[in-house]
């Protein structure tokens, strides 16, 4: 997943924007700097974790050289979380998610995830185990 995707992602349940992202694993990718037009993001720079209008400079070249392999997206409004697995954000509605898979993901990253997600995250959390 590219960092710039966060500029357009909102919680599919409550429509809150922006989401909070925690990156567990990322990789470097080669990009042609000439192809990068600044700023890439229009509203929110997830690389700097702030709105573009508040930034003096944008880190577009550095940001575009990274791909998120694994992480988590969290909605600060409804406390829903969505895993990023194999570079893909899995933003399914509650009814289409598999509790077993979500709990397994949370357990695998228990030391990296905030307590609010581990204890009260929706649709599943580790207090249910």
């Amino acid at each position: 997943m590219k960092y710039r995707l966060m500029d357009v992602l909102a919680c599919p349940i409550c429509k809150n924007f922006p989401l909070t992202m925690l990156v567990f694993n990322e990789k470097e990718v080669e990009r042609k700097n000439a192809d990068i037009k600044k700023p890439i993001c229009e509203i929110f720079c997830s690389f700097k974790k702030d709105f573009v209008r508040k930034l003096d400079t944008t880190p577009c070249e550095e940001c575009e050289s990274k791909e998120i392999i694994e992480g988590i997206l969290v909605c600060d409004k409804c406390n829903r979380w969505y895993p990023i697995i194999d570079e893909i954000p899995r933003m399914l509605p509650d009814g289409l998610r598999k509790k077993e898979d979500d709990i397994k993901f949370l357990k695998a990253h228990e030391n990296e995830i905030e307590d609010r997600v581990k204890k009260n995250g929706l649709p599943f959390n580790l207090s249910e185990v």
Side-chain angles (χ1 to χ4, degrees), residues 6 9-22 44 71-84 89-94 97 106 113-118 120-124:
M6 294 297 291
L9 289 180
C11 178
I13 306 302
C14 74
K15 313 303 183 224
N16 183 54
F17 173 87
L19 299 172
T20 297
M21 178 173 60
L22 298 171
F44 188 75
I72 191 169
L73 304 173
V74 181
C75 176
D76 294 327
K77 185 175 178 185
C78 71
N79 213 33
R80 277 184 175 74
W81 63 274
Y82 306 95
I84 302 168
R90 313 260 171 114
M91 300 182 73
L92 296 171
D94 296 354
R97 294 177 66 171
L106 288 175
I113 297 173
E114 300 170 346
D115 282 344
R116 67 181 174 129
V117 175
K118 289 190 283 190
N120 301 309
L122 295 174
F124 311 110

Side-chain angles (χ1 to χ4, degrees), residues 89-105:
R90 313 260 171 114
M91 300 182 73
L92 296 171
D94 296 354
L96 296 177
R97 294 177 66 171
K98 295 181 180 176
K99 183 176 183 176
E100 179 181 300
D101 293 345
D102 281 357
I103 295 296
K104 183 178 177 182
F105 180 86

Side-chain angles (χ1 to χ4, degrees), residues 24-127:
F24 305 147
N25 191 6
E26 66 184 11
K27 67 180 178 181
E28 294 283 330
V29 292
E30 190 173 324
R31 301 267 191 247
K32 293 181 182 179
N33 288 344
D35 294 341
I36 299 173
K37 297 174 185 171
K38 293 184 180 180
I40 292 173
C41 298
E42 294 179 16
I43 301 170
F44 188 75
C45 173
S46 63
F47 199 74
K48 286 286 190 174
K49 298 181 181 181
D50 207 348
F51 288 91
V52 173
R53 70 178 183 278
K54 293 182 179 181
L55 299 174
D56 293 330
T57 60
T58 55
C60 299
E61 289 180 22
E62 184 180 1
C63 175
E64 278 295 294
S65 70
K66 301 188 184 301
E67 295 273 343
I68 301 158
I69 297 171
E70 200 166 34
I72 191 169
L73 304 173
V74 181
C75 176
D76 294 327
K77 185 175 178 185
C78 71
N79 213 33
R80 277 184 175 74
W81 63 274
Y82 306 95
I84 302 168
I85 302 170
D86 295 329
E87 301 179 31
I88 300 169
R90 313 260 171 114
M91 300 182 73
L92 296 171
D94 296 354
L96 296 177
R97 294 177 66 171
K98 295 181 180 176
K99 183 176 183 176
E100 179 181 300
D101 293 345
D102 281 357
I103 295 296
K104 183 178 177 182
F105 180 86
L106 288 175
K107 284 183 178 180
H109 300 285
E110 189 170 0
N111 294 331
E112 300 159 297
I113 297 173
E114 300 170 346
D115 282 344
R116 67 181 174 129
V117 175
K118 289 190 283 190
K119 296 177 182 178
N120 301 309
L122 295 174
F124 311 110
N125 57 65
L126 294 178
S127 67

